[in-house]
Amino acid sequence: MDIALLNNISPLVRIVKIIKSWVLSGEWIDYDNVYTYIEQGTADFIIGGVKYTVAEGDAVLIPPFTHHFINVTSEEPLIQYIFHFDLHYRQERSHWKRVGIVHEEQRKKWPEELQLAGLFPVVHLQHSERFDLKRAFLVMHKEFRDKRLGYELIAKSMTIHLLAIFMRNRQPEEDNEQGKVTKGWAVIKKSIDYIHKHYADPNLDNDRISLESGVSTSHLSFIYKQQLGVTIHSYLVHVRIEQSKRLILHGNDTLTNISEKVGYASIHQFSKAFKKVAGITPSRFIATYAKELREADH
């Protein structure tokens, strides 16, 4: 994507957020573009099977339908400035407010939204550029929070500004660098897909995940730890808790029903796992986030 092409886009900003993570951040695939700035900490980003080590001052661009896995590697928390956006405004996509693929219509691939796919996804910003980026992002974040008249237009202009900063900091040789595919990624990807399909089964365990992935349990455990920095079980727990958050925020189920839907035999086991991963109890999570996010979704 040449920087001149920024003249021809009309972005739609969907979500603007600041995230702080101490441990595994998880694995996603989104229907829109994702722009991330690393404000603090270090992490391994595995994007489309290629590992990139990112740190403070790095910006990351992830195009739609690209699997990405984030593992925090620093002792201090990872702080990310993140926004999700379409490169081109479309009325039929403008009402989508959630991250991740929820509806079948969100699986449609629009070629115009894949213009970032050919770029090297990580750039390191000079200190002066970091200040400029943070100032623009925080303007966007405040506008989204306050939702004053015309906030969408300000977000559109800030997106072009932030994309220009990213493009300006690219190194020419980066676009020719293929990157090194993460060792064992095909097996990791297969196991991740299996976990996402079967996390609701309370009997799902390391042995079954390994069997379905076509390798021994010891080998799968080794490559998870070596490449992702986590155990198979901790990733499974992460998926279950992230799914439970979605059910809490975008549904009306009881916590008991939600715990069963994400693979826990009892509400006690679920609550214990939730607090360990999220740092708060499910009931506190509801009190803190549910009302705010439901209102933002309308």
Side-chain angles (χ1 to χ4, degrees), residues 13-17 135-159:
V13 179
R14 185 165 286 109
I15 292 169
V16 184
K17 57 187 177 180
R135 181 173 56 185
F137 178 89
L138 292 173
V139 167
M140 184 196 296
H141 188 261
K142 185 177 188 303
E143 290 292 333
F144 252 75
R145 184 189 62 202
D146 297 345
K147 289 185 167 52
R148 296 183 297 172
L149 180 65
Y151 78 93
E152 300 100 330
L153 295 176
I154 293 176
K156 185 191 297 281
S157 67
M158 291 298 101
T159 299

Side-chain angles (χ1 to χ4, degrees), residues 104-251:
E104 190 60 33
E105 61 183 326
Q106 293 170 334
R107 297 185 183 278
K108 179 180 178 180
K109 294 184 178 181
W110 297 78
E112 310 95 293
E113 294 302 320
L114 299 174
Q115 289 177 281
L116 302 176
L119 294 180
F120 193 82
V122 181
V123 298
H124 187 70
L125 305 184
Q126 301 297 318
H127 284 279
S128 59
E129 299 276 33
R130 297 180 200 179
F131 178 79
D132 194 12
L133 180 146
K134 288 191 282 187
R135 181 173 56 185
F137 178 89
L138 292 173
V139 167
M140 184 196 296
H141 188 261
K142 185 177 188 303
E143 290 292 333
F144 252 75
R145 184 189 62 202
D146 297 345
K147 289 185 167 52
R148 296 183 297 172
L149 180 65
Y151 78 93
E152 300 100 330
L153 295 176
I154 293 176
K156 185 191 297 281
S157 67
M158 291 298 101
T159 299
I160 296 173
H161 186 165
L162 291 166
L163 285 171
I165 290 174
F166 184 94
M167 302 292 284
R168 196 161 56 195
N169 282 269
R170 288 164 53 213
Q171 298 298 318
E173 64 271 14
E174 287 176 344
D175 289 336
N176 297 320
E177 185 175 337
Q178 297 299 311
K180 186 177 181 181
V181 176
T182 301
K183 184 178 179 181
W185 178 249
V187 173
I188 293 172
K189 176 66 169 56
K190 190 173 182 180
S191 68
I192 285 174
D193 289 344
Y194 188 78
I195 288 170
H196 278 263
K197 288 179 181 177
H198 299 280
Y199 65 84
D201 184 350
N203 296 315
L204 185 63
D205 60 15
N206 290 4
D207 290 340
R208 192 165 121 204
I209 295 168
S210 304
L211 179 65
E212 295 295 333
S213 302
V215 295
S216 68
T217 303
S218 60
H219 182 64
L220 187 62
S221 297
F222 172 76
I223 59 176
Y224 258 68
K225 198 67 178 175
Q226 182 187 59
Q227 300 299 331
L228 305 183
V230 298
T231 65
I232 304 169
H233 179 71
S234 66
Y235 182 72
L236 171 59
V237 171
H238 167 81
V239 170
R240 285 172 167 166
I241 299 308
E242 288 301 310
Q243 292 298 327
S244 73
K245 289 179 183 177
R246 291 189 180 188
L247 292 172
I248 289 171
L249 295 174
H250 304 296

Side-chain angles (χ1 to χ4, degrees), residues 76-104:
E76 60 185 355
L78 180 74
I79 299 178
Q80 303 175 75
Y81 293 179
I82 302 172
F83 66 98
H84 289 242
F85 66 100
D86 288 344
L87 284 167
H88 303 273
Y89 177 89
R90 292 183 187 81
Q91 183 64 39
E92 63 267 41
R93 292 169 63 101
S94 63
H95 66 283
W96 298 348
K97 302 297 182 184
R98 305 178 190 176
V99 299
I101 298 171
V102 178
H103 307 294
E104 190 60 33

